[in-house]
Amino acid sequence: MESDTSVRTTPLATVAEMREQLGRRKGQLKGRQPSEAALARVQALVGDGPYRRDLLIEYLHRLQDAFQGLLEADLVALAKLLNISMAEVFEVASFYHHFDIVRDGDTAAPLTVRVCDGLSCAMGGAKDLLERVSTLLGPEGVRVVAAPCVGRCEQAPVAVVHQRPVPQAQAEQVAELARSALVSGLNLAVARHPIAQPATKFVATDVANADLSAVAPAVLRLASYRATGGYQLPTQLADGSLTTDAVLQAMEDSGLRGLGGAGFPAGRKWRIVRDQPSPRLMAVNIDEGEPGTFKDRTYLERDPHRFLEGMLVAAQVVGIAKVYIYLRDEYHGCRAILAQAIAELQADPPCPLPEIELRRGAGAYICGEESAMIESIEGKRGEPRMRPPYIAQVGLFGRPTLEHNFETLYWVRDIVQKGPQWFSGHGRHGRKGLRSFSVSGRVRQPGVKLAPAGITLRELIGEYCGGMLEGHTLYAYLPGGASGGIFPASLADVPLDFDTLQPHGGFIGSAAVIVLSQHDRVRDAALNMVRFFAHESCGQCTPCRVGTAKAAVLMESAVWDAQTLEDLSQVMEDASICGLGQAAPNPVRSVLRYFPHEVTAQGEKA
């Protein structure tokens, strides 16, 4: 039998056929395909294309707001619309605390109540509040969860029903509001942040006597702001009657440093970014997640245009093409105020405006770190970047980026109009400038206190806070929120400013001052902070991810293993990528240094 020696050939595909095949592959997800119903549902919420990959988090918010959760089928459809993998969508959605992924077959809770368990709220009875609210609402299907600091520490304890804050919350009050939202199916309108009424005037010192029960204080609108000289600086810069060099010199002469925590000189930052190649971008950080901090919210919900004017001046001086404002998701009222203020400004601009985008955070403390915030603006997980390069050189979308905290820009108008000496002329104990202290805890009058830089805690409490609460004496205090360490009353006469607290094992950071009395235990405060860090760690680096969780477990013991805690602290400080892991040991070390009697065998016996 003869063998078949003929060569079999396979016809080659034409170029057109290959292109068609590649097009089908590119346009079709691997694995699970979206349903037509899910695609229609998602498109109705996110609108028609083209769709931007960097807006992924904004799209997720629209889905979460509409359905009180992220339906798994909808995430598949969103991946299809963005032409990215399902894994990419899921990894972003699962990173942020305010996104709730609902698996197929499950249903989303009709309503979520968050009870703040930050230190100030914990001191105000948050644990009992959480237990009582859970008892009252659990049987009704309401999701009740503990939440990290919501930025209303002066109103402790605080609960948030959907998007509506409940200051100085009582369990029955929270339950009543939640039930009213559930009437007739789901009426979330009653659980949205109330709309602020317009104010006729505002000065920064007014916040010292703010109503602590106010959820939506009166806000200064554009017409009233302009009536007091607002937006003159951008107009003068645009017509040439004021030079960018003069503004830059005023900023440098004032000594203004970044007021988000790092304290980098603002004028120097402007020069560095201005010298970089175009296009240059700006990212404004209003994430304000540091426990104990609420100054940015306090100013923003009353006087948004002063901030926007400072932002415009910075953009004109540095040559910014586009501005991204990153606002924490907990500030629902501020988001409405800022969106309206931007719309007012764009409708009647004082000068040519850069493009402005308002971005919404999603419940991640780590996004207060500048590079993590940039990752989040780009629609990614909020994981800090390795440096160098620094974001002033390679930042948002790979472009040189000017990053600023809200309050830093808030003071630009006053510094330039009143002269740099107006700002630098304030100060005590050899320090210069003004600081906005967010004060909470065991004082008579908590709130934002605009005071001279270098003021001591004892002076701050006595002159600005009405003294300690009746029956309470000063025992300890946190000068800079969770990250800044915990000091004993014996250090209450140390000036509060940049660089003054480091020799004592802390720093001022965002000037979030939490005051403890003899009725509090510092070890409990430290544990609260370390649990917060463990909860908020992005998980990118092992020293922080494992170290914070391990430290929290060790700190639950009546007697602390000081050597092991110090070993963990050293590794976190030396090997963590960003400031979260590097500062997480501060509460631990503070207790061991200043309050050893609370965590030693001798202290237990006493």
Side-chain angles (χ1 to χ4, degrees):
M1 185 174 179
E2 294 185 7
S3 60
D4 184 2
T5 58
S6 61
V7 177
R8 296 177 180 175
T9 60
T10 302
L12 295 175
T14 66
V15 173
E17 290 172 334
M18 293 176 67
R19 284 176 176 167
E20 182 181 357
Q21 185 178 11
L22 287 171
R24 286 198 302 267
R25 289 179 181 176
K26 186 175 181 181
Q28 178 173 304
L29 295 170
K30 292 182 178 179
R32 177 176 174 179
Q33 300 303 307
S35 68
E36 292 300 322
L39 276 172
R41 189 166 57 236
V42 172
Q43 280 184 302
L45 289 170
V46 303
D48 297 325
Y51 302 104
R52 290 167 48 186
R53 171 62 183 83
D54 64 295
L55 290 178
L56 173 57
I57 293 172
E58 300 298 315
Y59 298 148
L60 291 172
H61 272 303
R62 295 183 193 179
L63 298 177
Q64 176 77 33
D65 290 346
F67 306 119
Q68 310 312 304
L70 301 175
L71 307 181
E72 191 171 356
D74 290 353
L75 295 182
V76 177
L78 184 58
K80 170 70 174 179
L81 293 178
L82 291 174
N83 199 23
I84 60 178
S85 70
M86 289 168 53
E88 202 168 340
V89 174
F90 271 78
E91 75 171 6
V92 173
S94 61
F95 181 84
Y96 296 92
H97 301 314
H98 288 190
F99 294 143
D100 306 305
I101 297 176
V102 181
R103 297 290 182 178
D104 291 340
D106 295 336
T107 57
L111 186 70
T112 296
V113 174
R114 290 182 167 87
V115 177
C116 178
D117 66 359
L119 179 57
S120 298
C121 285
M123 294 164 62
K127 182 179 179 181
D128 292 340
L129 178 64
L130 177 63
E131 292 176 355
R132 180 62 178 155
V133 172
S134 298
T135 300
L136 292 172
L137 294 176
E140 301 180 38
V142 175
R143 178 172 172 253
V144 181
V145 297
C149 183
V150 298
R152 291 184 172 272
C153 314
E154 82 281 25
Q155 299 175 337
V158 176
V160 181
V161 179
H162 184 50
Q163 296 180 355
R164 188 184 185 102
V166 182
Q168 299 156 341
Q170 300 293 323
E172 291 72 17
Q173 175 191 16
V174 174
E176 181 180 354
L177 178 59
R179 287 174 182 139
S180 65
L182 294 174
V183 171
S184 302
L186 186 61
N187 179 20
L188 289 180
V190 301
R192 292 197 177 100
H193 199 288
I195 299 173
Q197 298 301 308
T200 55
K201 64 177 183 177
F202 174 80
V203 293
T205 51
D206 289 347
V207 299
N209 301 310
D211 180 4
L212 296 183
S213 64
V215 171
V219 59
L220 202 63
R221 297 298 185 194
L222 179 59
S224 298
Y225 180 72
R226 274 198 164 127
T228 64
Y231 289 113
Q232 289 182 359
L233 291 180
T235 302
Q236 292 169 345
L237 282 167
D239 65 22
S241 59
L242 178 66
T243 67
T244 57
D245 286 341
V247 173
L248 194 51
Q249 192 64 53
M251 292 294 293
E252 291 178 328
D253 291 347
S254 71
L256 178 68
R257 297 170 66 170
L259 298 173
F264 193 86
R268 190 192 309 172
K269 183 182 287 189
W270 289 17
R271 282 196 187 276
I272 291 172
V273 179
R274 190 171 73 160
D275 290 340
Q276 302 301 313
S278 297
R280 295 177 286 272
L281 306 177
M282 184 191 299
V284 182
N285 188 339
I286 323 181
D287 195 58
E288 194 168 58
E290 186 70 36
T293 313
F294 48 93
K295 60 182 178 63
D296 292 352
R297 170 187 61 79
T298 301
Y299 288 130
L300 176 54
E301 62 190 6
R302 292 168 170 83
D303 194 11
H305 282 286
R306 188 173 299 270
F307 150 69
L308 289 175
E309 181 170 6
M311 183 190 78
L312 285 184
V313 170
Q316 289 172 295
V317 172
V318 179
I320 297 297
K322 187 171 182 178
V323 179
Y324 295 82
I325 303 174
Y326 190 87
L327 178 67
R328 73 178 304 198
D329 191 38
E330 290 83 350
Y331 289 173
H332 300 287
C334 288
R335 185 167 62 254
I337 288 169
L338 196 49
Q340 182 175 359
I342 292 171
E344 290 176 335
L345 184 63
Q346 291 171 331
D348 187 13
C351 63
L353 301 179
E355 188 177 351
I356 302 171
E357 282 195 18
L358 176 59
R359 293 297 187 87
R360 182 176 173 184
Y365 165 76
I366 190 62
C367 291
E369 197 275 341
E370 60 179 10
S371 65
M373 177 188 66
I374 283 175
E375 290 286 297
S376 188
I377 292 174
E378 293 181 357
K380 305 172 187 174
R381 294 163 64 91
E383 296 177 343
R385 297 177 180 178
M386 295 291 290
R387 282 162 287 194
Y390 296 96
I391 69 167
Q393 302 164 311
V394 182
L396 193 54
F397 305 113
R399 300 309 309 164
T401 302
L402 177 66
E403 189 274 343
H404 265 314
N405 164 260
F406 167 91
E407 195 197 353
T408 310
L409 296 171
Y410 186 83
W411 294 117
V412 169
R413 173 188 166 185
D414 286 309
I415 287 172
V416 178
Q417 285 188 335
K418 298 177 181 179
Q421 65 280 357
W422 167 81
F423 187 82
S424 62
H426 295 279
R428 291 188 187 178
H429 306 294
R431 313 302 299 181
K432 294 182 178 181
L434 286 166
R435 291 306 302 261
S436 299
F437 295 92
S438 304
V439 185
S440 61
R442 311 300 190 185
V443 295
R444 291 180 184 271
Q445 300 167 11
V448 174
K449 312 298 178 180
L450 182 60
I455 193 172
T456 68
L457 179 83
R458 202 178 309 279
E459 293 168 340
L460 184 65
I461 293 175
E463 298 175 30
Y464 290 83
C465 302
M468 297 289 293
L469 284 171
E470 186 174 353
H472 293 260
T473 57
L474 178 64
Y475 175 54
Y477 70 102
L478 288 75
S483 306
I486 309 175
F487 290 173
S490 59
L491 294 179
D493 296 312
V494 175
L496 299 175
D497 197 15
F498 295 114
D499 311 320
T500 60
L501 304 176
Q502 281 83 338
H504 305 284
F507 55 85
I508 193 169
S510 60
V513 177
I514 306 176
V515 180
L516 281 62
S517 77
Q518 81 277 18
H519 298 299
D520 303 303
R521 296 199 309 174
V522 173
R523 61 172 296 153
D524 294 337
L527 179 57
N528 180 288
M529 296 299 166
V530 173
R531 283 175 174 166
F532 167 79
F533 288 131
H535 182 262
E536 295 299 319
S537 173
C538 76
Q540 182 180 191
C541 59
T542 302
C544 175
R545 181 183 69 250
V546 176
T548 52
K550 180 64 175 177
V553 172
L554 291 173
M555 293 167 69
E556 292 172 357
S557 299
V559 177
W560 285 10
D561 182 346
Q563 185 58 56
T564 302
L565 282 168
E566 176 53 34
D567 290 344
L568 277 173
S569 297
Q570 194 63 54
V571 172
M572 284 191 282
E573 182 181 28
D574 292 343
S576 295
I577 291 174
C578 78
L580 190 156
Q582 294 164 8
N586 285 344
V588 180
R589 286 172 163 165
S590 294
V591 174
L592 295 173
R593 180 175 180 178
Y594 296 116
F595 307 93
H597 57 280
E598 291 194 11
V599 295
T600 61
Q602 291 82 356
E604 267 306 292
K605 293 175 183 177

